[in-house]
Amino acid sequence: MTFASLGLIEPLLRSLETLGYQTPTPVQAQAIPAVLAGRDLMAAAQTGTGKTAGFALPLLQLLAMEGPKVASNSVRALILVPTRELAEQVHEAVRQYAENLPLSTYAVYGGVSINPQMMKLRKGVDVLVATPGRLLDLYRQKALKFNQLQTLILDEADRMLDLGFSEELGNIYRVLPKQRQTLLFSATFSDAIRLLAGQMLNDPLSIEVSPRNVAANTVKQWVVVVDKKRKPELFIHLLRKGKWKQVLVFAKTRNGVDALVEKLQGLGINADGIHGDKPQATRQRALDRFKASEVQILVATDVAARGLDIEDLPLVVNFDLPIVAEDYIHRIGRTGRAGATGQAISLVCADEVNLLSAIETLTRQTLPRQMEHDFEPEHRVPDTDASGQVVKKPKKPKKPKTSGGGKRNLGKWVESGDASAPEPSIKPVRKVPVFNTGPRKRKP
Ligand code: AMP
């Protein structure tokens, strides 16, 4: 199959040739004809599947074919994304695809001054990429009108809900023209996403390019169990042992990012961090340097690293497991792209057993476990499996105390299927975001 056979016009084909895209990816093969035919879409596609081109190419074609000029402070197509980084990334892709078309594109997001954005919008923009909060600010300040809007795209919709943007999405939805085409892309489909889709989409075509909620199978994944306090040491040990060249590391909190970066830099290791407390310019610089291989290790929170497209990333390390299981899929989606093989290693301590179980349930797999010599955990990580169960080990009878200390207990490694293990008893904790309720948690 070729892009020409999907009905794309010559200026777009030229852009694709420049970019070296030869064959449409599965999501592109399905989405492009459907969007050109004017259908609404509900697409389950994770990052790395080529989904951006899947919606952007037909969108640009429809806008170019229609021709009417955009009025001042107006926008003809709106792409909503959860984070600033993703806004930049999607905008850059759209800009490249639109290279040979007379269409204007722009990206707006929070964390930077609003005035230049207001100035830029005066002329009107054909395709606007935006984070929900800043878009509403611009609308309320009358820098934006939606009466010319004909297409709405929700990219990484699950993440927008996870980040607490449901209220903003509801507010945006209310001020958009009812007559429009809407495309919804999401890596995962929770009940909340289905509810959102039910409200926003009109007779959508469903596209699913990889099995629902299953991580790319080109990524080799495993877990290394360790005590919480020894994670930094273990990470450094693995880094040296594996001679890792370029690693994206996920930590749970901003402080966690800073602490690890500081520790690595203190050892002369070339590391940098990105999280929501850092100014946008600093984040972008760290990311650009990482992409250019000038930084060896980039430590990030989920919010900051959401949807980042870093080509040929060989390795992702989960220094902490994500609180929301779906984030695991997003995290490891940074590697193993477009058929390349990648590795995803999770350092897991006893506290994280329920998070591990939730990930295994969601991805329908039991992650293989390893233990590094000299890093065997004192606090055993109970067994888990894809059924969502955590296997509780019976408590050993207490040994009578002997004087003189005795041997340190390093904890016993229990193979799954251990006959001595009792029936599963603890259910994993899963967070389900709910559309249009609850306060906003964090801004990207
Ligand atoms: P996305 O899933 O949209 O973030 O795209 C992932 C990566 O695949 C990006 O670097 C795109 O430039 C690239 N890509 C998208 N479609 C194609 C294609 N048909 N052929 C080659 N590369 C592509």
Side-chain angles (χ1 to χ4, degrees):
M1 188 188 295
T2 60
F3 282 106
S5 70
L6 294 176
L8 290 180
I9 52 176
E10 197 269 338
L12 289 170
L13 296 177
R14 264 192 288 141
S15 303
L16 295 177
E17 204 175 312
T18 310
L19 291 167
Y21 294 12
Q22 283 166 358
T23 318
T25 66
V27 71
Q28 291 162 2
Q30 293 180 64
I32 292 171
V35 178
L36 287 177
R39 290 287 303 263
D40 278 9
L41 271 194
M42 168 153 158
Q46 56 195 75
T47 303
T49 54
K51 66 185 165 72
T52 315
F55 63 73
L57 294 169
L59 168 73
L60 293 168
Q61 176 152 333
L62 290 177
L63 294 172
M65 305 281 277
E66 269 183 23
K69 285 271 176 289
V70 66
S72 75
N73 291 104
S74 292
V75 43
R76 294 169 71 199
L78 176 62
I79 304 172
L80 287 175
V81 295
T83 66
R84 309 163 197 178
E85 279 81 5
L86 198 58
E88 279 291 353
Q89 184 177 299
V90 169
H91 176 241
E92 180 53 20
V94 172
R95 201 191 55 71
Q96 288 177 338
Y97 302 143
E99 190 73 28
N100 304 309
L101 291 171
L103 296 171
S104 55
T105 65
Y106 190 47
V108 294
Y109 41 80
V112 294
S113 169
I114 199 167
N115 290 335
Q117 298 179 349
M118 293 173 79
M119 299 275 285
K120 177 81 187 184
L121 289 170
R122 273 191 199 155
K123 275 192 181 164
V125 173
D126 289 299
V127 182
L128 183 67
V129 186
T131 52
R134 177 55 58 99
L135 184 85
L136 276 176
D137 287 348
L138 287 161
Y139 175 75
R140 286 177 184 139
Q141 299 202 34
K142 306 222 178 324
L144 261 180
K145 291 183 285 204
F146 293 121
N147 46 344
Q148 266 197 315
L149 187 115
Q150 56 194 65
T151 312
L152 169 68
I153 295 164
L154 300 156
D155 191 16
E156 312 237 353
D158 49 348
R159 187 58 177 177
M160 286 198 270
L161 294 189
D162 286 349
L163 289 173
F165 281 130
S166 59
E167 207 182 308
E168 281 86 347
L169 290 180
N171 290 337
I172 293 168
Y173 169 69
R174 275 189 283 281
V175 296
L176 298 183
K178 295 287 160 273
Q179 192 70 29
R180 54 156 209 274
Q181 186 176 22
T182 307
L183 318 175
L184 183 147
F185 286 78
S186 190
T188 52
F189 272 84
S190 61
D191 293 345
I193 290 289
R194 290 182 190 283
L195 186 64
L196 178 70
Q199 289 176 330
M200 292 206 168
L201 304 179
N202 175 25
D203 183 27
L205 180 77
S206 285
I207 291 183
E208 203 167 319
V209 289
S210 56
R212 229 176 90 199
N213 295 345
V214 174
N217 56 13
T218 48
V219 183
K220 187 172 172 242
Q221 306 160 57
W222 73 95
V223 160
V224 185
V225 289
V226 63
D227 280 334
K228 192 178 193 164
K229 61 179 187 298
R230 298 199 69 202
K231 280 190 180 185
E233 235 183 299
L234 172 65
F235 177 79
I236 292 157
H237 163 79
L238 292 172
L239 172 73
R240 289 183 171 147
K241 185 176 142 189
K243 299 191 174 61
W244 292 343
K245 290 201 172 62
Q246 195 194 22
V247 198
L248 180 60
V249 185
F250 287 93
K252 196 165 53 189
T253 62
R254 298 162 186 201
N255 286 345
V257 169
D258 288 340
L260 183 60
V261 169
E262 204 172 300
K263 182 146 194 125
L264 295 171
Q265 288 177 342
L267 291 167
I269 297 167
N270 186 356
D272 207 344
I274 52 172
H275 57 62
D277 275 351
K278 297 201 174 196
Q280 175 60 18
T282 313
R283 283 159 67 167
Q284 195 61 46
R285 195 167 52 244
L287 185 63
D288 290 344
R289 293 188 62 221
F290 181 64
K291 284 186 178 183
S293 299
E294 289 163 24
V295 164
Q296 182 190 3
I297 294 166
L298 186 68
V299 190
T301 56
D302 288 296
V303 177
R306 173 70 186 181
L308 295 181
D309 178 33
I310 302 166
E311 268 176 48
D312 301 329
L313 190 62
L315 177 62
V316 165
V317 172
N318 295 310
F319 187 83
D320 302 307
L321 286 184
I323 303 287
V324 181
E326 279 84 355
D327 280 341
Y328 179 82
I329 296 174
H330 299 312
R331 287 180 178 190
I332 74 166
R334 306 290 87 74
T335 180
R337 291 182 163 213
T341 51
Q343 297 184 352
I345 306 174
S346 302
L347 312 188
V348 177
C349 65
D351 289 358
E352 294 173 307
V353 67
N354 284 335
L355 304 178
L356 177 62
S357 173
I359 289 165
E360 291 182 334
T361 310
L362 181 72
T363 59
R364 300 193 204 109
Q365 61 182 338
T366 306
L367 293 171
R369 294 185 182 198
Q370 288 183 9
M371 223 177 338
E372 275 300 307
H373 182 57
D374 281 340
F375 288 91
E376 296 87 350
E378 282 187 40
H379 302 282
R380 187 183 157 273
V381 183
D383 281 359
T384 49
D385 63 35
S387 68
Q389 312 292 354
V390 177
V391 181
K392 230 182 179 181
K393 218 179 153 232
K395 276 190 181 154
K396 281 187 192 159
K398 275 189 181 164
K399 280 187 190 159
K401 278 189 181 159
T402 51
S403 57
K407 218 174 141 190
R408 205 160 67 115
N409 174 21
L410 289 175
K412 184 182 165 239
W413 179 247
V414 180
E415 293 295 333
S416 47
D418 182 342
S420 68
E423 283 300 300
S425 55
I426 305 173
K427 283 267 175 216
V429 181
R430 286 274 312 279
K431 201 190 103 206
V432 180
V434 179
F435 177 53
N436 238 358
T437 58
R440 167 133 161 219
K441 280 172 290 177
R442 271 191 296 174
K443 281 196 178 193

